[in-house]
Amino acid sequence: MKYQLPAIEAAGGGAIVNIASIYAISAFPASMPIPQTKHAVRGLTRSTAIEYATRRVRINAVSQVRF
């Protein structure tokens, strides 16, 4: 996003989609590093989306949910 955001702003707006997983929403036994990194992706996406919302940039994360 560091390099994409200036280009998107220069173009007048756009969207970024980050890839997370079910681990961004919950944690499971014996999977320690994965939830930590996926929670970080989710947090980065949320905070950056709030910061860039007024600049015509939409930022979302996709998380797979198993049923």
Side-chain angles (χ1 to χ4, degrees):
M1 290 192 310
K2 177 180 180 177
Y3 298 105
Q4 295 168 339
L5 286 168
I8 291 172
E9 280 188 287
I16 294 175
V17 178
N18 292 324
I19 306 299
S21 72
I22 192 170
Y23 292 104
I25 300 166
S26 60
F28 299 95
S31 63
M32 177 92 77
I34 298 170
Q36 293 170 346
T37 57
K38 296 305 180 175
H39 275 86
V41 169
R42 185 175 181 208
L44 177 67
T45 300
R46 293 178 75 180
S47 61
T48 309
I50 292 168
E51 183 176 339
Y52 280 83
T54 59
R55 303 180 200 180
R56 300 178 50 100
V57 179
R58 187 182 72 239
I59 305 171
N60 295 304
V62 176
S63 297
Q64 177 185 5
V65 179
R66 297 179 195 168
F67 292 103

